[in-house]
Amino acid sequence: MAQVSSIAEEQASTPLSSSKSITLRISRYNPKHDDSSVFMEFTVPYQKWTTVLEAILDVKKHFDHSVAVRYSCRQATCGSCGMMINGKPKLACFTKISELNSDVITVEPMSNFPIIRDLAVKFERMFETHHKIKPYLIRDDTELESDAKEFLQSPKEVEQYIQFANCIKCGLCNSACPTMATDSSFVGPQALAQAYRYVADSRDKGKDSRLKMIDEPHGIWRCHFAGSCSQVCPKGVDPAMGIQLLRGYLLGFRS
Amino acid sequence: MTKDEHKEGIGGMANPRRYGIERVAYLLMRLSGLGLLAYFVAHIYETSNILRGQVGWDELLEMTSTTEGHIILSIVIGMCVFHTVNGIRVMLGHGGVGVGKPARPDYPYEPASQNYRHKIGIYSAIVLAAFAMMYGLAVLFGE
Ligand code: SF4
Ligand code: FES
C-alpha cells in the first residue's frame, strides 16, 4: 500500500510563492529484504524550473532521507541519475516537472538494470560491455613512439564520430531497448554506439577486431532498429544511427 | 529472466505505447513475422493434403471457404504486405540507408535516425496492408 506524506511547505527548497504541487510517487525496494517494491507518495511544491531530481532531494531532505538515489553533476553530464519517470527512462536532473504535464509523477529504478536500492541501479554489466568493445584508439604506433605529437584530423573526419563521443554512459538507451528487455546477453545500444564511435574515427585502426567482437549471436544482429534508444538519449548520441552505420560495415555497404 | 536482473521482459518489449510509431512498427513486424511463420507451417500442412487425393483436398479447401477462413486469409494478406514493405524499410536502415548522417549534435538533440523518411515508410506499410486486406476481403467474400 502506498504511503502518503506531504512536505511542510515552509521546509521545501522550492520557493513557496509557488502554489503548484505534484504528487511524487517513489518506488521503494531493497532486494536484500523486500519481496517486492512499494510506492511512497509525497506532495511536493514545484516551480517552472524544478527538476524531478530536485523534487526527490526535497523529499530526502525534509521527509525521508533513506530514499536511495544516485546523482552527482545535476546538469546531464555525469550520467548518474537515470530512472523511469512516468514509465520512460530519463535523467532526473534533466527533466523538469513542468514539462511532464502531469499532477502525479512516478519514479522507479531504470528497467533492464539490477536494482541496488530504491532508484539506484547497478551499472556493472553496461560498463563491462562498454569495456569489451575497446573504447580507446587502437594503433600500432603510439603518440609516445611517434615523432608526430598529435594525430591530425579534418573537421569532416571529426564529424564522423563526434556525436557518438557525447555519450555519458547514463544507460537510458539500454533501458528503453526492446532487445535488452528480454536478452540478458545482448551487447546493448550503448556499447554498440561506442563501437561505431571508434570504428568511425580516422585515427583508429581497430575496426576489424571490434567488428569481430560484435558479429556474434548476441551482438549487433539482435538490434531490430526499433529506435527507442535514440528517442531517450539525452545527449543526441542517436545510438540507432550508429548501430545501423556499424552494421553497414558488416553487410558490405561501407568500408 | 530473473527478478534480480530487473528486466522489463516480454511485456516491456511488446508495449507499443511509449516510443512512438517506430516501436509500433517493431511490434507489428514481430507479430506479423510470427503470424506468417504459423501460416507457412499451416500452408505446408494444407497443401500436403493433396496426397490424400481429390476428396481430401476438396475437404480442406472447404475449410478455407468459410467466413472465418476468409477473415484469416485476409489477415495473412495484411501481415504479408506489412512485413514486406516494412521489411524493406528495416533492411535499408540496417545497411545505413536513410538513417541520417553523423553531425555535431545540437540541443534539443532530435535523433536523425528517427526521421520522416522512416516514418513515411512505416505509415505506408500500414496503409498498404490495410488496402490489401480490404481488397482481399472484397475478393474472398465477393466470390
Ligand atoms: S548513448 Fe545516450 S542514452 Fe545511451 S548511455 Fe550514451 S548518453 Fe546515455
Ligand atoms: S546528476 Fe549527473 S546526469 Fe543527472
Side-chain angles (χ1 to χ4, degrees):
Chain A
M1 205 172 60
Q3 180 180 331
V4 185
S5 310
S6 47
I7 301 171
E9 289 218 332
E10 63 280 8
Q11 289 183 327
S13 63
T14 303
L16 292 171
S17 50
S18 164
S19 57
K20 293 179 288 188
S21 63
I22 45 114
T23 301
L24 184 64
R25 299 176 74 236
I26 302 181
S27 169
R28 306 297 307 270
Y29 175 60
N30 186 340
K32 285 207 183 105
H33 49 72
D34 296 339
D35 288 335
S36 59
S37 60
V38 288
F39 282 101
M40 287 177 81
E41 293 186 1
F42 303 90
T43 305
V44 186
Y46 74 99
Q47 293 282 3
K48 207 167 85 182
W49 53 83
T50 308
T51 64
V52 173
L53 180 63
E54 284 165 343
I56 296 169
L57 294 181
D58 259 353
V59 168
K60 273 179 77 70
K61 190 169 171 195
H62 300 294
F63 188 76
D64 185 346
H65 71 96
S66 73
V67 172
V69 60
R70 181 170 46 215
Y71 70 100
S72 178
C73 68
R74 303 190 192 199
Q75 52 177 11
T77 301
C78 71
S80 307
C81 68
M83 61 186 72
M84 305 301 283
I85 300 178
N86 284 357
K88 280 191 194 179
K90 292 172 189 280
L91 292 180
C93 71
F94 200 47
T95 306
K96 290 203 282 291
I97 287 173
S98 54
E99 77 197 22
L100 292 170
N101 296 321
S102 172
D103 293 335
V104 180
I105 292 175
T106 303
V107 288
E108 296 164 276
M110 240 184 340
S111 303
N112 306 337
F113 287 88
I115 301 172
I116 300 173
R117 191 156 65 83
D118 300 340
L119 304 171
V121 293
K122 287 184 191 158
F123 275 163
E124 277 85 344
R125 176 148 193 280
M126 183 177 75
F127 291 151
E128 248 170 53
T129 49
H130 177 73
H131 197 242
K132 207 171 117 192
I133 58 94
K134 303 188 180 177
Y136 38 81
L137 294 181
I138 298 173
R139 297 178 65 98
D140 289 337
D141 57 337
T142 66
E143 284 189 50
L144 286 176
E145 287 163 5
S146 161
D147 283 344
K149 290 272 185 293
E150 53 192 345
F151 302 117
L152 291 179
Q153 284 186 308
S154 68
K156 215 170 156 218
E157 285 170 329
V158 173
E159 263 189 14
Q160 294 305 307
Y161 69 85
I162 194 70
Q163 89 177 57
F164 302 96
N166 258 14
C167 176
I168 57 170
K169 287 106 201 148
C170 62
L172 301 193
C173 51
N174 283 11
S175 183
C177 172
T179 304
M180 293 296 293
T182 52
D183 182 356
S184 309
S185 311
F186 180 45
V187 185
Q190 189 279 333
L192 288 171
Q194 289 315 293
Y196 179 73
R197 178 255 173 270
Y198 287 95
V199 166
D201 191 322
S202 60
R203 299 166 296 179
D204 184 77
K205 304 286 174 237
K207 183 176 95 191
D208 293 344
S209 69
R210 285 199 192 86
L211 291 183
K212 210 169 150 206
M213 222 172 293
I214 56 169
D215 182 13
E216 49 112 20
H218 293 276
I220 193 164
W221 309 109
R222 288 274 164 133
C223 166
H224 302 295
F225 193 26
S228 312
C229 51
S230 296
Q231 292 179 24
V232 299
C233 177
K235 302 303 282 183
V237 173
D238 199 349
M241 181 206 280
I243 298 169
Q244 311 325 312
L245 295 178
L246 192 59
R247 185 161 18 208
Y249 287 102
L250 288 161
L251 293 173
F253 283 74
R254 302 166 77 85
S255 54
Chain B
M1 184 164 346
T2 66
K3 192 176 159 212
D4 294 351
E5 289 181 286
H6 189 228
K7 298 221 159 267
E8 281 198 328
I10 292 179
M13 180 200 80
N15 180 353
R17 285 172 303 176
R18 290 176 297 176
Y19 304 110
I21 190 70
E22 290 82 1
R23 192 69 173 250
V24 176
Y26 166 82
L27 178 65
L28 289 177
M29 194 70 180
R30 305 222 104 185
L31 291 178
S32 57
L34 289 172
L36 289 172
L37 179 67
Y39 176 74
F40 182 60
V41 173
H43 184 65
I44 291 174
Y45 171 76
E46 181 194 20
T47 48
S48 69
N49 262 278
I50 203 158
L51 297 174
R52 287 170 53 212
Q54 174 85 35
V55 181
W57 178 245
D58 286 347
E59 267 174 23
L60 220 116
L61 275 191
E62 256 172 48
M63 258 172 66
T64 55
S65 305
T66 58
T67 306
E68 295 81 20
H70 286 170
I71 290 172
I72 290 172
L73 283 179
S74 308
I75 293 172
V76 170
I77 294 170
M79 289 193 301
C80 197
V81 172
F82 178 82
H83 206 81
T84 307
V85 178
N86 191 54
I88 292 170
R89 173 191 77 84
V90 173
M91 277 197 302
L92 289 171
H94 280 177
V97 179
V99 296
K101 283 199 179 88
R104 281 182 193 277
D106 272 327
Y107 191 80
Y109 303 137
E110 294 298 341
S113 68
Q114 310 295 290
N115 57 45
Y116 72 95
R117 283 188 294 266
H118 280 279
K119 288 189 204 304
I120 288 174
I122 294 168
Y123 285 116
S124 310
I126 294 172
V127 169
L128 285 172
F131 272 129
M133 270 176 82
M134 285 192 288
Y135 180 71
L137 283 170
V139 171
L140 288 165
F141 283 105
E143 272 171 356

